Amino acid sequence: MPVLRYAFTLNAVRELGRLAPDIARARAAASLDASLLHIREACTATLGMEFDTLVCFDARSVVRLFSHAEQARILARLVDERARTLAQAGRFQEALEDTVYAGHLLSCSRQRFGLPKDARAAETLEREVPELP
């Protein structure tokens, strides 16, 4: 069963890699609504959960829902992308809140999964998902 869960998680990371260029293009086009829609769709496709619902809860509670550190990293990456999108649109207070929340997600991931697993999750995400401009 753990192998199946890890395969599902790795598939989620690859799906994020496939969707990352769409998110970057929408942000580059300065289309706030399109960017936010792509972020929501990426969250649903990769994690199977709604983005807006997940970010309503505190980071520790959200990380407890996940079985692998990669899932927490995926959500942190999506929250960070929303922060960048909001900052580009001039909504700096919301962008700052998202940046802080992404940091809390990563911190809670390290606490729950341990530093070695979180470091492997970071390496997997770097390898599979292109860096967004």
Side-chain angles (χ1 to χ4, degrees):
M1 192 63 141
V3 172
L4 183 60
R5 268 188 269 157
Y6 184 75
F8 173 78
T9 302
L10 189 57
N11 186 45
V13 171
R14 289 186 176 139
E15 185 70 15
L16 179 61
R18 187 182 67 76
L19 296 169
D22 294 336
I23 296 170
R25 275 193 296 276
R27 186 164 42 100
S31 174
L32 179 62
D33 292 335
S35 293
L36 296 178
L37 178 64
H38 283 298
I39 291 168
R40 287 184 191 105
E41 288 173 351
C43 186
T44 303
T46 57
L47 299 175
M49 298 177 217
E50 291 186 16
F51 182 83
D52 294 324
T53 303
L54 288 172
V55 297
C56 286
F57 297 99
D58 66 291
R60 177 169 284 157
S61 297
V62 172
V63 170
R64 285 183 186 155
L65 294 173
F66 301 137
S67 59
H68 287 282
E70 285 88 351
Q71 293 169 303
R73 285 235 170 228
I74 288 171
L75 183 59
R77 180 102 180 235
L78 292 171
V79 170
D80 184 59
E81 184 58 29
R82 184 172 78 166
R84 293 177 189 201
T85 301
L86 291 170
Q88 186 176 359
R91 294 166 61 177
F92 300 111
Q93 181 63 36
E94 293 170 273
L96 178 61
E97 290 169 5
D98 278 354
T99 301
V100 170
Y101 187 72
H104 284 150
L105 285 168
L106 296 176
S107 175
C108 291
S109 174
R110 286 183 199 108
Q111 288 174 354
R112 176 157 191 242
F113 299 109
L115 194 56
K117 285 186 179 181
D118 191 66
R120 279 196 309 264
E123 290 171 7
T124 302
L125 218 58
E126 279 184 31
R127 186 177 63 246
E128 298 287 338
V129 181
E131 185 61 35
L132 299 175

